[in-house]
Amino acid sequence: MLKPILRVLASLALIAIPATARADGLVDNVNGMTLDDKGQVVRFTGLQFARDGKITRLLSPKDKRPKKLEWRIDMGGKTLVPGMIDAHGHVMGLGQQILQLDLSATNSLDEALAKIRTYAAANPTKWVIGSGWNQERWKLGRFPTAAELDSAVSDRPVWLERVDGHAGWANSRALAVAGITADTKDPAGGRIERVGGRPGGVLVDRAMALITKVLPQPTPRERNAAFLAAQDRLLSLGVTATTDMGTTGEDWLTYRRMGDMGLLKVRIMSYASGVDTALAVAGQGPTPWLYDDRLRMGGIKLFADGALGSRGAWLKADYADAPGQKGLGFLSDDQLLNLMTRGSMDGFQIAVHAIGDRANQQVLDAIEVLSQTYKDNRRWRIEHAQIVDPVDMPRFGRLGVIASVQPVHQTSDRLMAEARLGEARLAGAYAWRSLVQNGARLAFGSDYPVESPDPWAGWAVSFTRQDADGQPAGGWRPQEAVTREQGWAGFTTGAAYAGFAEDRLGRLAPGMRADFLILDRDPLLAAPADLRATKVLETWIGGNRAWQRK
């Protein structure tokens, strides 16, 4: 494991050195486009910015170019757009996925077992750790078992998180190390899948902690390598800023270490993994922006339920494909309200994971109560908002709630959602246009590493409701698509607004940070398939070239 980490550190250290030093400069002869603060498209042919990395002017073809410039780059008519912002991701999770065993591309249980076996043979570590499996993609019709995992690796413990991070798959050795037996009770908000009354190998949601508490912890050097790998991936896709949902204390120390070393390029809007973490890291209130607006902890991430794929999403009625199951509510109404109140008292923004319609109702109920006390612009966030009862929809607008959604989840989940929910509940599923019509502010992201952090795929899905193969024809429930411009806003101005960063990020205008991309095509003219194929040629952050395609 150490050799690939060292290779990553060596190669990415070169990228961390800006190719263009800060100075008064002009990026000229571009097909420039941005959204303004009203969502209208603004076009320009030159972008001028100062030594502090802030934009001073957008130039039209008729504008005279300044005579006194320290430097000027002619882009030869290439397209320039604002940097993309991912409103919901997991930075360290992405880095770990890159450096550990990744099963996200496997299409069957047998293929996954073969990959696990090969990886274990090549990495003689104490534990085999990875992620990305999806029994729905495998068309297995059930969860995999410890016995099946034993057939690949039995001489040491194995722990593999499901693609959504809401379930984990352990072999028998891992279950034994964690002391999980037939007598082990399901923890609150979690479930141990059982086969013949004994632990079957899969642990759902809060039951995962039974294993994760005994996992070997990565060293600071391994954390550094994971961060740099994630940052390089994000920059290569044009993501200049990202929300980090669920920042741990160790994650924060890693970001600070990278900032102190001058290696932090991407901007991170951090939401702590719970109230205790926020108070331990930030103290009584959000941190200031650090490292030239590259890092800030401004909010707290809470969980109301699990995920649809593991039947942990909390529903008002039974799962259509599992009668008697309604999913997992993680907190009582009073517990959730108390946690949201505690964070709000110190001015933290509250973001709550809610996928099922019952979980969304619970969060909206809590916001309804809190809004009587906190009447200022709190920008309450519901992360995912995947299944919302239509009767609850108007409360998003009335209470000023941001719907932080991930368009690619709709294409990945489509068939599963139909099976899990049945036709009657699809009216409020992945219902982006309905949310907008009911006054919600949309912020778009990917939920990487659950999905790829590719914003161009997410943008294409937002207005087509189709996957990479153009399926289904005409889009899935196309009445819930947004416009192309609304999709773009979700990944720029909407995501910035959701993180209280609209005064510095998300669009190109005087006084804003010079975070922009040079592309190989015009995304406003590209067909959906071509938009997905967009290649970022250069990524600039704060007036510095942070990444360039070789």
Side-chain angles (χ1 to χ4, degrees):
M1 188 67 181
L2 186 57
K3 288 183 178 179
I5 289 172
L6 293 175
R7 285 198 297 269
V8 169
L9 286 169
S11 63
L12 296 184
L14 297 175
I15 296 172
I17 301 172
T20 304
R22 282 189 176 175
D24 291 309
L26 174 66
V27 177
D28 207 1
N29 190 14
V30 297
N31 172 32
M33 61 195 73
T34 184
L35 293 171
D36 64 16
D37 55 2
K38 294 180 175 59
Q40 300 300 308
V41 177
V42 175
R43 294 187 178 272
F44 55 92
T45 57
L47 185 71
Q48 184 179 348
F49 44 89
R51 287 174 175 269
D52 63 0
K54 293 182 180 179
I55 297 167
T56 54
R57 293 178 68 194
L58 300 184
L59 300 170
S60 72
K62 297 179 180 179
D63 290 329
K64 291 184 178 180
R65 273 38 185 173
K67 293 182 178 180
K68 294 183 178 180
L69 286 170
E70 295 195 34
W71 58 269
R72 174 183 176 273
I73 297 177
D74 187 320
M75 285 295 176
K78 293 185 177 69
T79 295
L80 185 154
V81 300
M84 301 292 265
I85 304 175
D86 194 305
H88 185 116
H90 309 279
V91 176
M92 296 305 293
L94 176 62
Q96 289 161 2
Q97 182 190 68
I98 294 170
L99 298 181
Q100 294 175 349
L101 172 59
D102 179 11
L103 299 174
S104 59
T106 58
N107 294 306
S108 69
L109 174 62
D110 287 341
E111 183 182 344
L113 292 173
K115 189 167 186 176
I116 295 164
R117 192 177 294 112
T118 300
Y119 180 90
N123 294 273
T125 51
K126 291 183 178 180
W127 281 69
V128 175
I129 299 174
S131 61
W133 60 272
N134 185 351
Q135 83 282 4
E136 297 294 328
R137 179 168 179 159
W138 296 344
K139 297 179 173 57
L140 199 58
R142 59 172 175 81
F143 281 123
T145 67
E148 288 164 333
L149 193 47
D150 291 343
S151 70
V153 182
S154 60
D155 62 336
R156 55 198 145 132
V158 180
W159 176 244
L160 308 168
E161 288 196 5
R162 192 180 184 277
V163 63
D164 57 12
H166 286 271
W169 180 21
N171 69 351
S172 296
R173 183 65 68 90
L175 294 173
V177 170
I180 300 172
T181 69
D183 296 328
T184 304
K185 305 293 185 184
D186 288 352
R191 184 176 70 247
I192 301 171
E193 291 291 322
R194 300 177 191 270
V195 177
R198 299 187 60 80
V202 169
L203 290 82
V204 179
D205 288 316
R206 291 191 170 171
M208 296 168 65
L210 299 172
I211 294 281
T212 57
K213 69 182 181 183
V214 300
L215 289 178
Q217 294 303 304
T219 66
R221 177 174 290 185
E222 290 169 336
R223 290 182 183 278
N224 292 352
F227 170 78
L228 290 170
Q231 177 171 257
D232 186 55
R233 178 71 57 83
L234 293 171
L235 295 177
S236 73
L237 292 168
V239 177
T240 56
T242 181
T243 297
D244 188 50
M245 272 293 165
T247 306
T248 67
E250 289 293 338
D251 295 342
W252 181 260
L253 290 176
T254 302
Y255 304 152
R256 292 300 305 264
R257 193 160 55 243
M258 294 293 97
D260 291 343
M261 295 170 65
L263 298 176
L264 179 61
K265 303 303 174 187
V266 70
R267 303 190 192 276
I268 299 177
M269 294 174 280
S270 166
Y271 289 69
S273 60
V275 174
D276 290 345
T277 301
L279 296 179
V281 168
Q284 295 183 335
T287 71
W289 283 96
L290 306 170
Y291 309 112
D292 289 333
D293 293 346
R294 279 178 168 77
L295 180 64
R296 176 178 182 261
M297 180 175 283
I300 295 171
K301 166 79 175 298
L302 301 173
F303 284 89
D305 67 346
L308 199 63
S310 52
R311 295 192 184 88
W314 191 15
L315 303 180
K316 292 183 176 182
D318 289 358
Y319 278 84
D321 60 354
Q325 292 188 34
K326 288 187 172 69
L328 299 168
F330 285 7
L331 301 165
S332 70
D333 293 347
D334 286 343
Q335 287 173 325
L336 177 62
L337 183 59
N338 288 341
L339 288 172
M340 293 178 69
T341 300
R342 183 64 189 88
S344 298
M345 287 169 59
D346 284 324
F348 290 103
Q349 185 187 17
I350 306 299
V352 187
H353 165 117
I355 289 183
D357 50 11
R358 178 65 182 89
N360 276 279
Q361 178 198 3
Q362 183 189 44
V363 180
L364 289 167
D365 287 347
I367 294 172
E368 189 102 46
V369 174
L370 289 168
S371 295
Q372 302 306 309
T373 301
Y374 302 101
K375 298 184 181 296
D376 53 337
N377 185 13
R378 288 293 170 136
R379 301 189 192 179
W380 313 101
R381 294 178 59 140
I382 293 184
E383 303 303 311
H384 309 305
Q386 283 185 9
I387 307 149
V388 180
D389 189 327
V391 302
D392 291 322
M393 200 79 73
R395 293 202 282 173
F396 277 83
R398 179 162 56 82
L399 299 172
V401 179
I402 294 167
S404 171
V405 300
Q406 300 74 46
V408 287
H409 280 334
Q410 179 259 298
T411 50
S412 296
D413 295 355
R414 172 173 62 90
L415 298 178
M416 178 185 66
E418 292 174 349
R420 296 281 193 272
L421 301 175
E423 184 65 29
R425 277 178 289 189
L426 294 179
Y430 312 86
W432 313 322
R433 183 179 292 180
S434 292
L435 285 165
V436 171
Q437 290 172 340
N438 280 280
R441 295 288 295 257
L442 289 184
F444 283 161
S446 65
D447 198 14
Y448 67 81
V450 176
E451 304 276 2
S452 165
D454 180 3
W456 313 102
W459 184 2
V461 171
S462 72
F463 65 88
T464 66
R465 309 274 290 190
Q466 293 176 315
D467 63 18
D469 297 322
Q471 296 297 317
W476 186 73
R477 303 186 63 80
Q479 68 272 21
E480 293 296 349
V482 297
T483 67
R484 185 186 291 248
E485 289 76 17
Q486 286 173 324
W488 189 20
F491 282 104
T492 52
T493 56
Y497 178 87
F500 283 93
E502 76 276 11
D503 61 340
R504 64 200 70 203
L505 308 178
R507 59 191 178 93
L508 301 176
M512 305 291 283
R513 289 291 184 181
D515 296 355
F516 60 89
L517 312 174
I518 305 298
L519 306 179
D520 70 339
R521 68 199 67 197
D522 184 329
L524 294 182
L525 298 178
D530 293 331
L531 178 59
R532 284 177 173 270
T534 297
K535 284 186 170 52
V536 177
L537 304 179
E538 298 183 20
T539 300
W540 290 64
I541 299 179
N544 287 322
R545 187 188 289 117
W547 184 90
Q548 186 172 21
R549 185 171 296 277
K550 294 181 180 179

